[in-house]
Amino acid sequence: MALNADEEDFEWEPPTEAEMKVIQARRERQDKISKLMGDYLLKGYKMLGECCELCGTILLQDKQKKNYCVACQELDSDVDKDNPALNAQAALSQVRERQLAIQPHPQANGAPPTEPPLSITGLPRPEHCEGAASGLRAPPPSQPPTLPTPSSSPAFLLPASPALQAASPPAGPPPTHPALTHAEEAVLHKLRWATQELQQAVSVETSIQLCSLIRTCADSLRSLKELRLS
Amino acid sequence: MAKRDMCEAETVSLQACLSVVGALECVVRRCVGPDGGSVLFTKDTGETLITRHGQRILTMLHLDHPMARMVLECVCAHDRITADGSKSFILLLAALLRGIHDSANRHHKASWSPATNRKLANQLLAFCWKELDDIIAHDVVPYASFLFGFGGYRLEGGVLPALVGGYVTGRVAIGQAEILTPLLCEFYKKVSHKQDSTTVEPITFLHSNFSLLHAKVSGLPTGCSQVVKGLVLACDWSVWREAEGPVKALVICESLDKSLVAIGDSVSICFQQDWLLRSESAMKQRLARLLCLQVSVVLSSVKQPECVLEWARLNGVSVLECCDSEQLDLLCELNAAEMLSMQPMLRVTTLTFHSRLQLGGCRYAHLGISPNGSIHIHTLVLCAPAPGPLEQSVCVSQGVFTMLQHLCLSVLRMREQSNDTVSLSDSHQYQIERDSDSLTHDQPHMSTTLPDQSQSSSLDQSRGSIKDLWAGILKAGGVLPVGGAFEVLLHHSLLHCSNHGDSESRSLLAKAILSVPRSLHSHRPRYFLQQQAQLMSKLQLLKQGHTLSELRLGSELRFGLGPAGSGSLCVEPICSKHQLVVSVLQCVNRLLCVGTILHTRTPLHRSLTASAEDSEEEGM
């Protein structure tokens, strides 16, 4: 085995900065999961011999015999934070990306070369780094109809997220109805406005109202997304 | 379903091991070291348990995952041998698995397969068997013997208090530790009866019989703990008569009227009245025979009938009932009790004294036993305000003797091996005990006449009668200061070893071994790095040939104890640490060689999970 290692070393390149970030994020997530699991074990939860179907973490069982997955239920899913339908930040960043893409863009910035969507280990890219890696790819090509492309990768993983009810991944980017696009734009615009207002809000009541507005906008976006997919 | 099966096969990957061991690590990480915390367990019945003993904590968790149970099994097996290092086991295991995971990702990502893990596991095991012993014997042990050998650092109070202190301090509260350490040393000294013991017999005796040689008293402050001469039995005299001096005692294991009806006798009911009379007279005869033996004390492991007690009161015989039969067996064994050839089987022995002892709110029986060879029986009376600290004290005391026994046996084994291979290479600075008069101060290096001395002293040692067991252990390089000295030395020797052996295993182990002292010093990482750097620089200077006195030994010995002067130096045995590394490597091998987990659903398991409470499933 040592001999094989020598041959492979010649082909091995040190991980790029992007990959290092991904590895680092993965490790931190793993550490958080371990810590949570340890705390639950001390609280009297039982460590089962089975793994969660969605994320592969070991399942815990409480005294009432209910199974509990630490990663799915407590940690923010790595996928959801990049899903524009669920996260306002992701939605805003998607809007910005689209605006950048609409302007004629001479070349990709110094981002690392686009790789086929495979992870480092050669297996299909795991969910939790899809979002991070998709941000590192070159900005999408410059047409609005191809807008679904960057969102199709998180959309591909929608079935993995328990929050959404989407039944099957789309085969390719579905055609967008203009009304839906306009509706999405309007909602996103209101979302952005609400966020700005929230930053300047002084009273508690206003803040609460703005937060509920943001939540409603997110719900609307989710429904619009479902509508688009169906 | 195929995907599900594939998922199941994949779950037996390194990732699964890592998650399991990572969770266990998070559980024990906060309890490591003297500054670590304790875990409070509460049961539904209201009982509480406060502990920081790693094996105890892990056993109390509900672990159904097969890998977790395998790791727990390994931890328990390791704890049985050394009574030390359960938490360090988990920390080292986690660090090693992480290192293997990273290296698998880095080097073998293109060609990863389950066989890769197995090959690596076998590599590690081969390294453990072939190279680890040599590395420790050649690089770590000579440093230890150099440090504490002639011309080196003198441990104030001797090596035994330092060893016991090092063990106890990390396991009980500081107040308890300050009381327990001198108490345990006093206990050992009184049992072995000499200032410088020469054999390991007292330690072995204490280790195997500790459960019979201690008495627990709850409700008194810890400072009331003491060592009393003789054997203390946790029951009170049923019939008590004051008497001085040596007495003859009868040890009985059955009720005196039980054997009246021998096996095979038939009793016919119509002669009942006659039978009663006959049995009474038979009993009277028996008791009369006992009086002829001039027995003044009766020790019974069962309850005796009232007529026996009445007889005892009338004839001035003290009776002790419901004793622990194992303690009675020990008593008879040490006193060479003789057996009488009559029914029931009775044993007669001599006690030097017998008295009543008042401890806390209870009365105990106190028996004196004459010395047997080098063993003088004493009992350790442990007091604590509550059952929780009491259990901790008992556990720690038992652990101390297990640890000491492991150390003594390893050092003797090491001596026997070095007797067989007299060749010592010149590059090692190995000090062997010689008469101190003939040595001069500036001769720490090995001289050319050493092989001859080693032969003569080794002949002495092979007979097992060395001048001083503990000084011999010190000079043979059996102990190192606590706090991470062993790990730093091993790390250094693994990285700078000039052997041609397996470099991958060595680098994996070197990276992982420092995780243990890092966790120990997690609240002051900079201090640990400073200590590590100082130790390394001193090591370099030693290798270049400076003497110990030149180096002005000082702070690097205080590894982990804070600035010099905050308590006496504590040491730990190298063999325990060595055993820890070996156990962890074996456990890693077991984990990595797992191919698939087959879940079987046996009916028994089902009924347990369905009906019983979770707490009852702890027995593995």
Side-chain angles (χ1 to χ4, degrees):
Chain A
M1 190 164 97
L3 292 172
N4 286 346
D6 287 338
E7 289 167 14
E8 283 159 19
D9 274 334
F10 288 121
E11 300 162 6
W12 176 75
E13 292 148 5
T16 59
E17 199 184 307
E19 287 174 8
M20 281 303 294
K21 279 196 197 143
V22 168
I23 294 174
Q24 188 66 19
R26 213 186 296 177
R27 201 174 292 171
E28 277 171 13
R29 184 185 157 85
Q30 201 54 43
D31 287 341
K32 265 188 238 164
I33 291 178
S34 298
K35 185 163 184 320
L36 283 170
M37 246 202 287
D39 287 340
Y40 277 111
L41 282 175
L42 282 173
K43 279 193 200 147
Y45 280 52
K46 192 198 287 195
M47 182 194 273
L48 295 179
E50 294 145 12
C51 293
C52 172
E53 289 160 1
L54 302 167
C55 56
T57 325
I58 296 177
L59 283 173
L60 298 171
Q61 189 185 67
D62 63 6
K63 300 243 172 68
Q64 281 81 36
K65 312 280 181 206
K66 207 163 63 96
N67 287 5
Y68 184 77
C69 174
V70 175
C72 294
Q73 315 234 6
E74 278 198 35
L75 289 188
D76 301 326
S77 162
D78 270 341
V79 175
D80 285 351
K81 78 174 191 306
D82 294 314
N83 191 343
L86 293 179
N87 190 346
Q89 277 303 320
L92 289 173
S93 58
Q94 196 183 45
V95 168
R96 258 184 253 123
E97 278 177 22
R98 203 194 318 154
Q99 285 174 348
L100 277 172
I102 287 171
Q103 298 157 19
H105 205 76
Q107 59 165 38
N109 51 13
T114 35
E115 308 162 332
L118 282 181
S119 76
I120 299 160
T121 56
L123 301 170
R125 186 184 290 278
E127 306 151 359
H128 54 259
C129 58
E130 178 63 41
S134 69
L136 297 165
R137 274 184 246 160
S142 55
Q143 278 153 47
T146 59
L147 164 68
T149 319
S151 64
S152 72
S153 35
F156 170 71
L157 297 154
L158 279 176
S161 161
L164 292 181
Q165 316 277 329
S168 59
T176 349
H177 205 274
L180 284 175
T181 327
H182 290 144
E184 270 186 13
E185 277 180 35
V187 173
L188 283 172
H189 177 74
K190 253 309 166 263
L191 197 62
R192 206 185 320 154
W193 171 85
T195 322
Q196 281 171 358
E197 284 299 307
L198 187 61
Q199 275 166 1
Q200 292 156 11
V202 179
S203 80
V204 176
E205 202 50 53
T206 332
S207 314
I208 292 175
Q209 285 170 356
L210 286 169
C211 286
S212 62
L213 172 59
I214 292 176
R215 189 177 58 235
T216 323
C217 290
D219 288 338
S220 322
L221 280 172
R222 195 185 304 148
S223 325
L224 288 170
K225 176 80 71 186
E226 283 173 28
L227 203 58
R228 193 169 354 121
L229 289 174
S230 62
Chain B
M1 271 304 116
K3 189 177 174 193
R4 176 71 192 267
D5 289 342
M6 202 175 72
C7 281
E8 274 216 25
E10 276 182 30
T11 53
V12 188
S13 63
L14 202 44
Q15 193 56 44
C17 296
L18 259 178
S19 328
V20 168
V21 180
L24 295 179
E25 186 198 12
C26 288
V27 168
V28 297
R29 192 169 39 194
R30 283 177 286 186
C31 305
V32 174
D35 298 318
S38 307
V39 180
L40 168 68
F41 288 103
T42 46
K43 273 192 164 174
D44 290 337
T45 50
E47 288 167 39
T48 58
L49 167 71
I50 303 181
T51 177
R52 51 154 78 159
H53 189 206
Q55 192 233 352
R56 219 57 213 281
I57 295 174
L58 292 172
T59 324
M60 298 293 273
L61 298 176
H62 302 299
L63 298 170
D64 248 6
H65 199 286
M67 292 211 165
R69 291 168 84 121
M70 195 154 75
V71 169
L72 183 56
E73 232 176 81
C74 296
V75 170
C76 292
H78 173 78
D79 189 70
R80 264 194 297 272
I81 302 177
T82 57
D84 190 12
S86 323
K87 299 189 285 275
S88 314
F89 188 105
I90 299 286
L91 294 174
L92 185 55
L93 183 65
L96 204 52
L97 283 174
R98 257 183 235 124
I100 292 173
H101 179 70
D102 289 342
S103 111
N105 271 350
R106 228 182 300 132
H107 295 300
H108 309 293
K109 62 187 185 192
S111 66
W112 182 87
S113 68
T116 317
N117 275 350
R118 234 172 291 134
K119 268 191 232 167
L120 188 53
N122 292 335
Q123 244 185 304
L124 280 170
L125 200 59
F127 168 76
C128 169
W129 293 135
K130 293 183 199 158
E131 295 184 32
L132 186 64
D133 289 349
D134 290 336
I135 292 178
I136 291 185
H138 290 162
D139 289 316
V140 180
V141 171
Y143 179 77
S145 65
F146 195 61
L147 199 59
F148 293 117
F150 187 81
Y153 189 80
R154 284 244 167 271
L155 283 170
E156 36 182 87
V159 65
L160 185 61
L163 269 171
V164 174
Y167 185 87
V168 168
T169 314
R171 288 169 170 84
V172 288
I174 192 78
Q176 260 181 310
E178 277 170 11
I179 295 171
L180 271 181
T181 309
L183 188 69
L184 289 168
C185 299
E186 185 194 342
F187 184 44
Y188 169 74
K189 288 209 166 69
K190 286 197 170 153
V191 169
S192 64
H193 194 65
K194 285 183 202 160
Q195 276 306 105
D196 302 323
S197 55
T198 56
T199 63
V200 292
E201 205 189 322
I203 289 281
T204 317
F205 176 76
L206 281 171
H207 164 71
S208 15
N209 296 308
F210 184 76
S211 52
L212 310 170
L213 294 174
H214 75 275
K216 297 192 276 203
V217 180
S218 181
L220 289 181
T222 317
C224 294
S225 306
Q226 52 180 316
V227 176
V228 296
K229 198 175 155 80
L231 202 59
V232 171
L233 288 97
C235 41
D236 190 21
W237 300 97
S238 317
V239 178
W240 170 243
R241 204 191 81 124
E242 284 273 356
E244 294 280 339
V247 292
K248 263 193 171 175
L250 179 76
V251 177
I252 185 170
C253 306
E254 283 180 331
S255 178
L256 267 172
D257 66 354
K258 190 173 177 192
S259 54
L260 285 176
V261 182
I263 298 169
D265 276 1
S266 55
V267 179
S268 75
I269 296 172
C270 50
F271 291 108
Q272 187 175 358
Q273 186 127 18
D274 197 22
W275 178 77
L276 272 175
L277 279 171
R278 269 200 285 148
S279 67
E280 270 184 31
S281 61
M283 174 75 96
K284 281 196 189 117
Q285 282 176 12
R286 186 164 283 115
L287 291 173
R289 257 180 293 182
L290 287 182
L291 271 180
C292 291
L293 289 171
Q294 292 171 332
V295 154
S296 313
V297 173
V298 171
L299 303 170
S300 163
S301 57
V302 295
K303 190 120 183 66
Q304 296 294 335
E306 188 53 41
C307 54
V308 174
L309 298 180
E310 201 46 57
W311 163 85
R313 266 180 224 120
L314 291 171
N315 291 294
V317 173
S318 304
V319 176
L320 188 63
E321 291 176 309
C322 305
C323 311
D324 185 11
S325 52
E326 286 178 3
Q327 276 183 312
L328 290 181
D329 288 339
L330 178 68
L331 173 72
C332 294
E333 202 186 299
L334 289 170
N335 268 349
E338 44 179 66
M339 299 236 258
L340 299 178
S341 55
M342 65 186 198
Q343 275 186 346
M345 301 282 270
L346 307 172
R347 292 175 281 185
V348 176
T349 182
T350 315
L351 303 172
T352 52
F353 64 86
H354 67 290
S355 67
R356 224 170 202 172
L357 195 59
Q358 177 92 26
L359 293 170
C362 297
R363 286 204 207 120
Y364 295 81
H366 189 189
L367 307 174
I369 303 182
S370 48
N372 175 20
S374 58
I375 311 270
H376 295 241
I377 294 280
H378 285 74
T379 303
L380 180 65
V381 175
L382 289 169
C383 305
L390 188 59
E391 275 308 313
Q392 276 186 349
S393 303
V394 170
C395 191
V396 158
S397 311
Q398 168 86 68
V400 161
F401 293 111
T402 311
M403 181 265 292
L404 289 175
Q405 200 224 8
H406 185 239
L407 169 64
C408 294
L409 291 181
S410 318
V411 169
L412 284 180
R413 212 184 308 136
M414 206 166 71
R415 279 225 193 96
E416 280 170 18
Q417 281 173 1
S418 68
N419 289 345
D420 297 336
T421 62
V422 186
S423 61
L424 303 162
S425 76
D426 284 345
S427 60
H428 301 146
Q429 298 174 6
Y430 194 85
Q431 274 287 4
I432 301 194
E433 143 126 292
R434 292 192 263 175
D435 294 317
S436 45
D437 308 321
S438 56
L439 270 180
T440 57
H441 274 273
D442 45 10
Q443 248 194 358
H445 300 282
M446 213 174 65
S447 65
T448 48
T449 58
L450 211 44
D452 298 329
Q453 253 107 16
S454 78
Q455 270 180 356
S456 60
S457 58
S458 63
L459 280 173
D460 234 348
Q461 288 152 16
S462 62
R463 266 182 254 130
S465 59
I466 32 182
K467 204 166 164 197
D468 182 351
L469 177 68
W470 302 109
I473 286 177
L474 205 55
K475 283 162 176 86
V479 298
L480 273 178
V482 292
F486 174 84
E487 285 86 2
V488 170
L489 286 171
L490 186 60
H491 171 84
H492 178 81
S493 23
L494 284 169
L495 288 182
H496 297 99
C497 198
S498 56
N499 286 355
H500 298 295
D502 181 5
S503 64
E504 193 176 355
S505 305
R506 256 186 283 136
S507 62
L508 277 174
L509 188 58
K511 258 180 262 176
I513 192 89
L514 284 183
S515 66
V516 176
R518 249 186 232 129
S519 298
L520 193 60
H521 298 281
S522 55
H523 52 286
R524 38 179 191 178
R526 200 184 296 176
Y527 174 80
F528 169 63
L529 288 173
Q530 278 175 358
Q531 292 294 310
Q532 186 185 355
Q534 277 187 6
L535 188 59
M536 285 296 99
S537 63
K538 291 252 160 66
L539 199 61
Q540 290 298 328
L541 290 174
L542 281 175
K543 286 219 160 110
Q544 288 165 16
H546 293 79
T547 59
L548 270 172
S549 46
E550 278 177 23
L551 296 173
R552 277 182 292 120
L553 281 181
S555 57
E556 95 273 7
L557 285 181
R558 298 268 159 210
F559 225 103
L561 281 174
S566 63
S568 56
L569 181 67
C570 292
V571 295
E572 61 187 0
I574 290 185
C575 57
S576 304
K577 293 282 170 178
H578 184 181
Q579 180 65 47
L580 175 71
V581 177
V582 167
S583 306
V584 170
L585 288 173
Q586 287 179 337
C587 185
V588 167
N589 178 271
R590 283 178 84 176
L591 283 175
L592 291 181
C593 284
V594 171
T596 328
I597 297 178
L598 299 171
H599 293 276
T600 58
R601 307 253 179 253
T602 58
L604 187 61
H605 184 76
R606 271 255 179 240
S607 63
L608 273 178
T609 49
S611 57
E613 274 187 358
D614 281 345
S615 57
E616 293 178 51
E617 277 185 47
E618 279 172 322
M620 284 208 315

